[in-house]
Amino acid sequence: MLSPGILSRLKEIVGRERCFEGEVDRLCYAYDSSLESQLNRWLPDVVVQPQDREQVVAILKLANEHRIPVVPRGAGTGQCCGAVAHRGGIILDMSLMNRILRYDLENLQVVVQPGIVHAELNQALAAHGFFFPPDPGSTKMCTLGGMVSFNSSGMRAVKYGTTKNYVLGLEVVLPTGEVIVTGGQRSRALKSVAGYDLTSLFVGSEGTLGVITAIRLKVLPLPAKRGLVVAYFDNLEASGEAVIQVFRSRLFPSAIEILDRSAIKAAIKYKPALVLPEVEAMLLFEVDGPPPSVAYEAQSIARVCENFACKVEWTDDPARLNQLWTARSVVGAAAGQLKEGATRVYIGEDICVPVYRVPEALRRIRQIGEAYGITIVTYGHIGDGNLHAAPVINTYDPSEIERVRKVGDEIHRLALELEGTTTGEHGVGLTRAAYMEEEHGISFELMRRLKKAIDPLNILNPGKMALD
Amino acid sequence: MIRCVRCGQCRSVCPVFLVKKVESDSTRGRVTLIRALLEGEISFSEELGEKVWQCLLCHSCSQECPSGVQVEKIILAARSKMAELRGLPFSKKVLIQGLLPNLKSLSKLMALGRFLQSFGGKEVPGGYWLPSFSLPLFSSRVLPRLNSRSLFQMVPSEAPFIPRPKGRAVFYAGCMLAYGYPRTGKAVVEVLYYNGIEVVIPPDQVCCGLPALASGHRETFTRLREANLRVLKRVKADGIVTACPSCGSTLKEYYSSELQAKIFDFSEFLVAADFKPPDREWKSVVTYHDPCHLRKAQKVVRPPRRILASIPGIKFKEAADPGRCCGFGGTFGLYYPGLSREIGRARAGSLLDTGAEAVVTSCPGCMLQLADSLYRQQSTVPVRHLAEVLAEAYGFHKPLTAKEVVRPG
Ligand SMILES: Cc1cc2nc3c(=O)[nH]c(=O)nc-3n(C[C@H](O)[C@H](O)[C@H](O)COP(=O)(O)OP(=O)(O)OC[C@H]3O[C@@H](n4cnc5c(N)ncnc54)[C@H](O)[C@@H]3O)c2cc1C
Ligand code: SF4
Ligand code: SF4
């Protein structure tokens, strides 16, 4: 528990109405989307919503002086208990710092505050003909601060890369209250090799090294047109072959997504209007660019797929495109509708393997599910090997919980065995902490040393990523 | 409720969250709290009660939720449990148990209302009135200027003879159209007549009961429902038409499954009856505000737009965020006027951004809220019910004159 003195200092800093200490509020900040945060109650002592950098500085100084844990938080859509205060302390909800600070579109960049929601940023940019390409399924709710901290990405990562490819510089408040600017104090340049790449150090640091208060982001002109090729397959291997053959044919879609039979079922359930056939797998290829190249690329991809697929269609009708992408992006959350009394849970949900091993991974995930008697819906970004496994369980059944935890562990180990990584998107937090040593070997020790150097008293998001 | 995966997608649409920006005021927070309460993890507190009351029942979240969580049902169940355990607050009791079951008392109240409106307030363009003092329940909200007669006194309850009628409808008016906006109710009837539909308006219909249901008072709700069912079942007709989406969704969802297929929103019914497109011009740039209980609860999205598009001279401009809630939410607007107003401000802003010269909607509740929100933004843009617009375009309603829509002082 925090002393009344500390609480009243916090209230002075952020304002009484932006400091929440009641049980009801604390409970609502004790979770993210992970299964573990549903099963455990890690209540913060207090939640504060800073409105500017100076308040963040004051809070961190206070916390550092009194060794109080501080957990930065965006929208809490992460899935690894990253934004959960499992050692109590202060939750720093960044939702109110949500403005676009500077448009600098002639230099292909914008400066934003971390609390801005991804979809809102892209809506604002679209009005000027630009966009920030990484596109997580959580676009409508997740914040840029969360995205930078998790190095989030989405379906278009194949062509456009992940968040880290767009972060040009950051303003970060360190645990001691110092404010640093990475990527050059006053730089508005699009690249730089001056010194260590501190920006990259903070991207993906999951709130363990500093609190991000501003982000200088690279943006791109919006492609003039988008097109979609949808291919249906009778067998899983054929879908993997098709993807590899597309690359070999020197075609480069912006996104390639796979839904296996279970995911197709969930999509049908969510949107019957889509009229999807229940096949073994389906691939969605998105192409974008000037209209003639979209048509050319889409047709070429369709031709390649015809050699492997049982049916291929293509569309550039924005309504159908939107419909199909929406169904794809919510298929995970919709998976819960497949089974009465059950829900989709996030555990072992975002491994990433080499592209050519995707069909093998899909099959093995299915086998793991069968071995433990757990329904798993699988889908993902086959273009970069990032797979989403969605176990659907009854969270009131202790035996299912126990089994699903084992399923999660096996999936993580499968990822490492297939020369992949335990998390391609959703971060380490608590739920992947156990695999860090194995995944990184000796370099993990350097991560620990960096953490100690920057946050000597270990107040920022302590206990996460197995750093202490 | 167990389906909730805590993905937070509902954060992007919950109007209360969008204003308050605190997790416990988001759908995800509410669902979590109710679950924790039911599982005995936390105990009831005033703070928790507030979170459950501060929901507009707007269906925005349910419509958005990929897991198919039916949030309003969860909230209603929680409220009903709360009312059972702790009883209703006094003001809710007066409204729910005292007033609602007896519409005749509303008529008396109207007389009182009219009397009050004769002094102590100011005229607001578009047929509204702003009290200069704070009224119980209504605070200082812009209110419709009350009419001397209710809808039931303005139109005959039995259909006048139509030679070869295309159909026959029961008009279920609801409190707001019967007493607050009888002029609009009359437009509904006239538009239906004009399209060859016989209209029956049973004078013994009572409130649909939504305020009681929303307040967790099931008993009063059941009484009202039974009373209405008796009335509605008595009349032989092709359909029961409502021009208040809140009534409509309550009738469709909570009345009787056998009746469900016969209930239509005004716009749905007209489109199904192959309405006559008006030939007079209604020259104006208009935008349409979707009532939550129409778009999200009843999934009626296209019919009102089709009707608008059929009116010559209308230039339709869609708002950037169609489907956004206006913040009224029935009793919500009465109990949380400040919050309701803030939500209304955001909505009014996006409607005004379209450059519209008139805001058209299909719900008297939304009209009340939007009139207030627009007035507070110094806007002179009038809010009109679809039925009124149509009645004017057909030529049997006098348009509101320029004087009535002048700039507020
Ligand atoms: C339905 C659904 C679909 C998803 N799809 C994708 C997807 O396609 N791709 C993907 O990559 N992810 C996806 N995610 C995961 C998640 O949405 C993203 O990782 C997102 O970027 C997290 O953002 P947030 O604002 O919710 O962050 P939070 O969950 O609140 O926080 C995430 C981490 O960032 C830290 N943090 C937040 N703000 C700051 C700050 N200002 N300074 C320092 N640290 C900070 C927190 O401490 C925490 O460790 C999905 C999640 C859901 C629920
Ligand atoms: S959108 Fe649905 S599943 Fe997601 S948090 Fe909200 S209620 Fe829960
Ligand atoms: S019904 Fe409306 S106000 Fe209530 S939780 Fe859902 S979105 Fe929010």
Side-chain angles (χ1 to χ4, degrees):
Chain A
M1 281 303 279
L2 300 181
S3 71
I6 305 250
L7 282 173
S8 65
R9 269 295 292 138
L10 285 171
K11 283 180 199 160
E12 273 167 39
I13 297 169
V14 293
R16 185 164 287 278
E17 68 289 356
R18 288 299 165 189
C19 182
F20 305 91
E21 47 181 314
E23 189 192 21
V24 159
D25 276 301
R26 291 188 298 130
L27 189 67
C28 288
Y29 284 90
Y31 55 75
D32 60 4
S33 313
S34 61
L35 172 64
E36 287 306 327
S37 71
Q38 270 193 52
L39 300 176
N40 295 282
R41 279 288 170 262
W42 293 301
L43 260 60
D45 293 310
V46 64
V47 178
V48 292
Q49 295 185 313
Q51 291 120 69
D52 60 34
R53 179 189 55 214
E54 298 323 318
Q55 294 183 357
V56 176
V57 169
I59 294 164
L60 287 190
K61 277 190 176 149
L62 181 75
N64 204 43
E65 192 184 320
H66 297 275
R67 300 194 176 207
I68 305 163
V70 176
V71 181
R73 180 173 169 112
T77 68
Q79 300 167 344
C80 62
C81 304
V84 173
H86 88 303
R87 290 193 190 163
I90 303 169
I91 290 260
L92 204 62
D93 177 0
M94 304 298 285
S95 302
L96 296 183
M97 292 179 64
N98 61 356
R99 278 178 302 131
I100 297 180
L101 297 173
R102 190 174 76 213
Y103 284 97
D104 192 2
L105 296 173
E106 52 278 34
N107 290 312
L108 290 179
Q109 53 196 278
V110 287
V111 180
V112 301
Q113 288 186 315
I116 190 165
V117 170
H118 178 261
E120 284 169 15
L121 171 65
N122 264 344
Q123 209 178 349
L125 287 172
H128 300 273
F130 287 84
F131 79 130
F132 163 65
D135 58 339
S138 46
T139 167
K140 286 187 173 171
M141 54 277 193
C142 76
T143 69
L144 259 294
M147 287 190 70
V148 171
S149 304
F150 272 169
N151 186 22
S152 303
S153 53
M155 299 188 263
R156 288 190 222 123
V158 185
K159 176 167 167 181
Y160 293 104
T162 62
T163 299
K164 75 168 172 227
N165 304 108
Y166 296 86
V167 184
L168 299 167
L170 293 170
E171 178 186 86
V172 184
V173 182
L174 299 181
T176 45
E178 293 154 277
V179 181
I180 59 157
V181 177
T182 70
Q185 280 270 33
R186 295 197 335 268
S187 175
R188 287 165 85 153
L190 277 170
K191 59 183 191 182
S192 163
V193 289
Y196 290 165
D197 184 359
L198 292 182
T199 305
S200 283
L201 179 60
F202 286 95
V203 176
S205 67
E206 301 192 10
T208 61
L209 297 179
V211 177
I212 298 163
T213 46
I215 307 162
R216 183 160 67 95
L217 271 186
K218 178 173 158 175
V219 295
L220 294 181
L222 261 176
K225 199 173 171 81
R226 290 159 68 197
L228 186 68
V229 180
V230 190
Y232 306 90
F233 300 85
D234 286 332
N235 91 46
L236 264 174
E237 254 68 33
S239 64
E241 277 302 315
V243 172
I244 293 162
Q245 204 52 46
V246 163
F247 288 143
R248 282 206 184 108
S249 312
R250 292 192 282 179
L251 298 162
F252 199 34
S254 49
I256 315 176
E257 293 296 301
I258 183 163
L259 272 66
D260 88 347
R261 180 187 278 280
S262 59
I264 297 170
K265 269 197 198 153
I268 294 173
K269 178 102 187 165
Y270 178 72
K271 266 211 161 90
L274 286 173
V275 211
L276 299 175
E278 253 190 65
V279 283
E280 269 314 299
M282 95 188 229
L283 291 178
L284 296 114
F285 296 84
E286 181 173 281
V287 290
D288 64 6
S293 81
V294 166
Y296 168 78
E297 220 176 334
Q299 278 154 19
S300 312
I301 291 171
R303 214 166 305 130
V304 173
C305 285
E306 271 159 14
N307 298 324
F308 304 91
C310 52
K311 187 180 158 206
V312 184
E313 59 168 310
W314 100 273
T315 177
D316 59 358
D317 167 31
R320 172 92 180 148
L321 234 131
N322 243 340
Q323 212 186 20
L324 279 160
W325 276 136
T326 312
R328 156 60 193 91
S329 61
V330 301
V331 75
Q337 298 198 35
L338 282 182
K339 227 168 97 180
E340 201 48 47
T343 182
R344 182 256 158 102
V345 293
Y346 291 100
I347 188 166
E349 79 287 345
D350 75 320
I351 59 165
C352 194
V353 299
V355 176
Y356 82 102
R357 303 195 84 163
V358 165
E360 184 182 349
L362 285 172
R363 186 161 324 96
R364 299 259 307 261
I365 291 172
R366 199 179 284 178
Q367 282 163 1
I368 294 173
E370 279 161 8
Y372 287 95
I374 298 278
T375 310
I376 305 180
V377 171
T378 7
Y379 56 97
H381 320 306
I382 187 171
D384 55 22
N386 191 182
L387 290 179
H388 295 312
V392 182
I393 63 161
N394 175 350
T395 50
Y396 286 97
D397 179 344
S399 132
E400 288 210 18
I401 298 282
E402 196 193 318
R403 281 180 282 141
V404 86
R405 280 185 169 137
K406 290 197 176 126
V407 164
D409 184 50
E410 293 223 0
I411 293 176
H412 288 131
R413 302 216 172 272
L414 172 71
L416 296 176
E417 183 197 323
L418 296 181
E419 302 162 289
T421 169
T422 48
T423 170
E425 281 185 341
H426 299 169
V428 178
L430 289 179
T431 57
R432 268 57 91 103
Y435 312 99
M436 288 295 273
E437 299 253 27
E438 185 178 344
E439 194 167 335
H440 295 288
I442 190 88
S443 62
F444 186 57
E445 188 43 38
L446 183 62
M447 291 191 209
R448 283 193 164 137
R449 272 189 254 161
L450 284 167
K451 164 75 173 170
K452 213 165 175 72
I454 297 172
D455 183 13
L457 301 181
N458 193 21
I459 62 153
L460 263 179
N461 219 349
K464 304 293 169 67
M465 292 168 92
L467 287 166
D468 54 8
Chain B
M1 183 155 49
I2 48 167
R3 279 223 192 113
C4 174
V5 297
R6 301 193 179 166
C7 65
Q9 187 140 331
C10 43
R11 278 169 65 108
S12 65
V13 293
C14 175
V16 178
F17 171 76
L18 290 175
V19 164
K20 296 185 79 175
K21 292 265 191 281
V22 185
E23 179 70 25
S24 56
D25 288 302
S26 74
T27 318
R28 180 170 62 167
R30 278 184 204 105
V31 172
T32 306
L33 289 171
I34 295 174
R35 184 169 173 172
L37 184 69
L38 290 182
E39 289 172 8
E41 195 193 327
I42 50 170
S43 45
F44 182 83
S45 63
E46 287 307 319
E47 202 188 347
L48 186 124
E50 278 294 280
K51 303 294 174 186
V52 178
W53 286 115
Q54 277 189 22
C55 162
L56 290 144
L57 298 175
C58 68
H59 290 63
S60 303
C61 47
S62 308
Q63 155 123 338
E64 185 73 24
C65 173
S67 311
V69 178
Q70 287 187 309
V71 183
E72 10 7 275
K73 299 252 155 68
I74 296 173
I75 303 268
L76 285 181
R79 287 187 184 175
S80 151
K81 196 82 207 148
M82 274 161 49
E84 203 177 287
L85 289 177
R86 323 207 11 125
L88 289 172
F90 177 71
S91 55
K92 282 199 169 103
K93 255 196 195 135
V94 172
L95 179 78
I96 307 300
Q97 282 169 292
L99 271 180
L100 281 189
N102 189 357
L103 269 194
K104 293 220 173 66
S105 63
L106 264 187
S107 309
K108 285 194 203 110
L109 211 70
M110 263 179 76
L112 176 68
R114 261 197 324 282
F115 175 66
L116 281 177
Q117 285 189 342
S118 62
F119 64 96
K122 79 171 177 196
E123 211 58 45
V124 173
Y128 288 90
W129 171 81
L130 181 69
S132 54
F133 45 89
S134 189
L135 285 168
L137 281 181
F138 289 95
S139 68
S140 53
R141 179 187 282 280
V142 165
L143 295 169
R145 190 163 240 322
L146 290 176
N147 222 306
S148 55
R149 291 180 304 162
S150 75
L151 177 72
F152 303 115
Q153 293 158 316
M154 281 165 83
V155 288
S157 63
E158 264 303 319
F161 178 72
I162 298 183
R164 262 191 305 280
K166 258 173 110 183
R168 187 175 164 88
V170 176
F171 179 35
Y172 179 77
C175 315
M176 290 278 274
L177 285 181
Y179 301 102
Y181 289 99
R183 181 187 146 97
T184 310
K186 189 162 168 268
V188 171
V189 177
E190 286 167 346
V191 167
L192 289 172
Y193 279 154
Y194 185 78
N195 279 286
I197 291 148
E198 290 182 335
V199 187
V200 184
I201 314 167
D204 44 355
Q205 51 178 283
V206 295
C207 166
C208 70
L210 179 60
L213 187 66
S215 302
H217 211 277
R218 301 249 173 191
E219 201 186 298
T220 308
F221 172 72
T222 313
R223 259 202 299 150
L224 293 168
R225 183 186 62 191
E226 295 312 317
N228 276 327
L229 280 176
R230 271 196 299 279
V231 172
L232 296 173
K233 281 183 180 160
R234 198 179 59 215
V235 192
K236 286 232 166 326
D238 305 312
I240 299 161
V241 176
T242 83
C244 171
S246 297
C247 301
S249 68
T250 310
L251 262 61
K252 280 183 185 172
E253 269 186 84
Y254 297 99
Y255 266 46
S256 85
S257 47
E258 138 202 20
L259 211 67
Q260 199 176 19
K262 286 188 85 178
I263 295 154
F264 298 91
D265 178 64
F266 168 72
S267 61
E268 260 182 306
F269 193 81
L270 273 187
V271 167
D274 203 12
F275 73 105
K276 293 183 217 164
D279 38 38
R280 265 176 208 242
E281 286 213 331
W282 209 83
K283 240 185 144 92
S284 191
V285 181
V286 302
T287 188
Y288 180 74
H289 166 78
D290 287 288
C292 295
H293 284 160
L294 194 59
R295 182 187 179 104
K296 298 161 206 159
Q298 300 181 52
K299 316 264 184 274
V300 175
V301 180
R302 285 180 58 197
R305 288 174 172 77
R306 261 187 67 186
I307 292 174
L308 280 177
S310 76
I311 303 174
I314 272 193
K315 216 166 136 209
F316 183 74
K317 275 279 188 60
E318 191 75 81
D321 47 2
R324 190 168 178 152
C325 176
C326 70
F328 182 56
T331 46
F332 177 92
L334 307 181
Y335 288 105
Y336 301 104
L339 190 52
S340 165
R341 191 158 280 159
E342 261 190 80
I343 299 171
R345 186 173 52 197
R347 184 53 182 151
S350 65
L351 292 169
L352 288 175
D353 285 346
T354 60
E357 293 155 348
V359 173
V360 182
T361 186
S362 296
C363 170
C366 300
M367 282 164 74
L368 185 65
Q369 172 79 349
L370 291 173
D372 189 71
S373 308
L374 290 167
Y375 176 76
R376 275 167 214 286
Q377 300 217 0
Q378 305 282 303
S379 158
T380 55
V381 169
V383 187
R384 317 298 304 280
H385 194 283
L386 183 65
E388 291 173 46
V389 173
L390 209 49
E392 275 172 34
Y394 283 141
F396 38 72
H397 252 219
K398 184 170 69 71
L400 290 180
T401 62
K403 191 175 150 282
E404 285 173 288
V405 288
V406 287
R407 175 168 270 283

